C-alpha cells in the first residue's frame, strides 16, 4: 500500500508488549495489530479473547500485519501475560479511585523507552471495548496512562489508543527520529543568478511602463526583490521564471494577423 | 461512553481545518470526525466526497461526534475548500518529486498552533483511501507532512492519520498560543488570492505559448505554483505580482494608436 517499502523487512527490535484484556471483537484485535505495525511494535498478547484464537476477523482487519499476527500469544490470565515484564502501564480513559500514579502518553513513552533501551521488557495494558480494564487489572500495573482527550468528547477505541501510544513510543525511542522520507530540496541558487532574474524582470518592467512614478521606483524594486528572494529559488526555478518573463514579454511583439490595424476598415 | 463528561459541551475554539479530498468511504469520514472530536477539532471539510453528503455510514461511524458532523462543509474544488486558510499542509505517505519542504508531525503541529494561536486559519489535507493526494493538490500546500512510520510497514488509513495529527495539534496548542510568530507568516494572504494569481499567470502563459508540450503542462504548472507558494506572499504582494504580469503582458497598451505599424515608414 502507499508508503510501504516492500524491500525492507520489519526488524523485530525490542518494543513494548501490547496486552489486550478480554478483547471482544476480532476486528479490533486486527486493527490494533495493524496500528502497532506502523510504528514498529510487534509483541501482541491476548488475555481470554472472547472469540478465541486464531480469529478470522482479526486476521482480515490486520491488513497484512502478518508478522504481528503470527506472533500473537494467548493467555488464560493477565498475570501470565505480563509475567516477564518489569514495567507495566494500564491505559484507561476514566479515573480510578486508586493510589496509582497517572501519566500522560509522553511520560509513559519516555519511561518505556528507557526501560526497553536498557534491556528490560515492558508493556501496555488495554481493556475491553466497553468497560476498559477492571480495577484488579489496573492494580497489577505500575501506573495508569491516560490520553489527553477533550473531556466533552472522549471516545477513543482500543485500536486508536494502541495507535497513539505506539506512535509516542516510537517518537521517544531511537527509531522515532527518522521520517520515512525527507525533502530532497535542491540548493538555493547562488545570489548572482537571483540578481540576474531581478535585472531581467526590472528591465522588462521598465520597458512595459510598470514604474509609473519614477521617484517610487527604488521602493517598488526593493519590495519585488524581497518577495522574490523569499522563494529561495533553485537555479532551475530561476531559469523557469526567466522563461516566464520572456514568454509574456514577447507576446505583445508577435504580429497578430487577426488584430485590427487602426483605420484598417478604410484600406 | 467511558471517559466522556456529558456535562461539558465541546467548546469550538479555533482549530485546524481537516480537509478530505475525494474520500471514498463514508465510514472513513465518520471515523475521521470521531478522531477529530477526541482532540477538540471540529472543522471538517470534504472535497467531492464520492458518495455525496449527508452520508449515513459517515454519521453512524462518527459515533455521536454530532458537533463535527453537523458542521461538515462540502466543496466542489480544493481551492474553494482552502480559500480562507493562510497555512495548509498536505499529509502524504509517499515522497513526491517536488521542491516542497517535508515536516514531521511535531513541527507541523507547532507551526499550526502558532498560526492559529495568532488568529490565522490553517488546515491539513488528506487524500483518497488508495491514492492519497494528487500532485496538483500537494502543490497548493505550504509543505508536506509525513508520519514517522516503520518503512517496512506503513499502512495508516485516513482516520488514523487524522487522529495522530489531531493529537499532536492538541499537544502543541496549549503551549502553542504563546509562541512568538515570524513576520513573514503573519500576513500571508488567504489561499484563494494565491490561487487567483496562479490563474492569472497560467492563462497569460497559455496565450503567450509558454507551455510548448501540452502533456508536460501539469508538471510545469505544479512546479510554478510550488515555487510561488514558497514566497508566502501577502495580499499586497499578490496584487503587485498581478500588476507585474499585466504590465509585461502589455494589457494597458492594447490597442495603441501610436504604435508603429509594420512598414509605416513607407506611409
Amino acid at each position: 500500500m502507499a508508503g510501504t517499502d516492500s524491500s525492507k523487512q520489519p526488524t523485530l527490535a525490542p518494543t513494548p508488549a501490547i496486552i489486550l484484556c478480554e478483547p471482544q471483537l476480532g476486528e479490533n484485535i486486527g486493527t490494533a495489530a495493524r496500528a502497532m505495525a506502523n510504528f514498529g511494535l510487534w509483541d501482541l498478547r491476548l488475555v481470554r479473547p472472547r472469540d478465541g484464537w486464531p480469529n478470522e476477523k482479526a486476521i482480515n482487519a490486520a491488513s497484512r500485519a502478518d508478522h504481528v499476527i503470527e506472533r500473537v500469544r494467548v493467555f488464560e490470565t493477565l498475570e501470565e501475560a505480563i509475567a516477564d515484564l518489569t514495567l507495566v502501564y494500564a491505559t484507561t480513559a476514566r479515573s480510578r479511585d486508586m493510589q496509582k500514579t497517572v501519566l500522560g502518553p509522553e511520560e509513559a513513552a519516555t519511561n518505556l523507552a528507557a526501560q526497553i533501551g536498557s534491556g528490560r521488557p515492558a508493556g501496555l495494558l488495554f481493556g475491553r471495548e466497553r468497560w476498559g480494564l477492571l480495577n484488579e487489572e489496573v492494580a497489577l500495573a505500575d501506573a495508569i496512562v491516560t490520553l489527553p482527550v477533550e473531556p466533552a468528547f472522549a471516545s477513543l477505541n482500543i485500536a486508536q489508543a494502541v495507535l497513539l501510544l505506539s506512535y509516542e513510543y516510537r517518537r521517544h525511542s531511537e527509531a522515532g527520529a527518522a521520517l520515512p522520507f525527507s525533502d530532497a530540496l535542491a540548493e538555493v541558487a547562488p545570489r548572482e543568478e537571483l540578481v540576474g532574474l531581478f535585472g531581467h524582470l526590472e528591465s522588462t518592467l521598465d520597458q512595459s511602463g510598470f514604474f509609473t512614478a519614477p521617484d517610487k521606483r527604488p521602493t517598488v524594486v526593493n519590495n519585488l526583490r524581497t518577495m522574490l528572494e523569499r522563494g529561495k529559488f533553485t537555479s532551475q526555478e530561476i531559469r523557469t521564471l526567466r522563461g516566464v518573463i520572456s514568454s509574456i514579454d514577447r507576446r505583445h511583439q508577435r504580429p497578430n494577423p487577426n488584430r485590427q490595424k487602426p483605420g484598417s476598415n478604410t484600406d
Side-chain angles (χ1 to χ4, degrees), chain A residues 182-203:
Chain A
S182 66
D183 37 63
L185 287 177
E187 293 290 313
V188 175
R191 192 56 35 118
E192 71 175 324
E193 292 179 29
L194 185 65
V195 170
L197 170 64
F198 292 162
H200 185 174
L201 176 62
E202 289 151 21
S203 60

Side-chain angles (χ1 to χ4, degrees), chain A residues 38-55:
Chain A
N38 274 285
F39 295 109
L41 277 66
W42 53 268
D43 186 352
L44 179 58
R45 308 179 189 186
L46 310 178
V47 181
R48 295 187 308 277
R50 185 193 73 180
D51 298 336
W53 192 260
N55 181 306

Side-chain angles (χ1 to χ4, degrees), chain A residues 48-194:
Chain A
R48 295 187 308 277
R50 185 193 73 180
D51 298 336
W53 192 260
N55 181 306
E56 205 56 46
K57 288 185 175 168
I59 293 165
N60 293 341
S63 191
R64 290 167 26 198
D66 301 330
H67 62 291
V68 178
I69 291 293
E70 282 161 16
R71 288 172 175 78
V72 161
R73 283 182 287 164
V74 181
F75 299 88
E76 245 330 282
T77 66
L78 177 56
E79 286 81 346
E80 289 169 290
I82 62 175
D84 61 319
L85 305 179
T86 61
L87 182 66
V88 179
Y89 287 150
T91 315
T92 172
R94 51 187 180 83
S95 84
R96 309 280 172 141
D97 187 17
M98 295 173 87
Q99 285 286 106
K100 192 80 69 179
T101 304
V102 177
L103 305 173
E106 293 186 75
E107 200 177 346
T110 302
N111 298 347
L112 289 167
Q115 192 84 353
I116 285 170
S118 62
R120 290 184 262 281
L124 284 151
L125 308 184
F126 297 82
R128 301 146 191 75
E129 281 79 342
R130 278 183 184 244
W131 306 284
L133 291 167
L134 304 175
N135 280 351
E136 68 205 48
E137 293 162 342
V138 176
L140 287 173
D142 294 71
I144 285 170
V145 182
T146 197
L147 287 148
V149 287
E150 173 70 46
F153 188 93
S155 73
L156 293 177
N157 62 31
I158 298 169
Q160 289 172 323
V162 169
L163 182 74
L164 287 163
L165 286 161
S166 300
Y167 165 77
E168 277 293 4
Y169 174 76
R170 186 180 178 87
R171 210 164 67 71
H172 284 83
S173 68
E174 275 150 35
L179 293 175
F181 61 88
S182 66
D183 37 63
L185 287 177
E187 293 290 313
V188 175
R191 192 56 35 118
E192 71 175 324
E193 292 179 29
L194 185 65

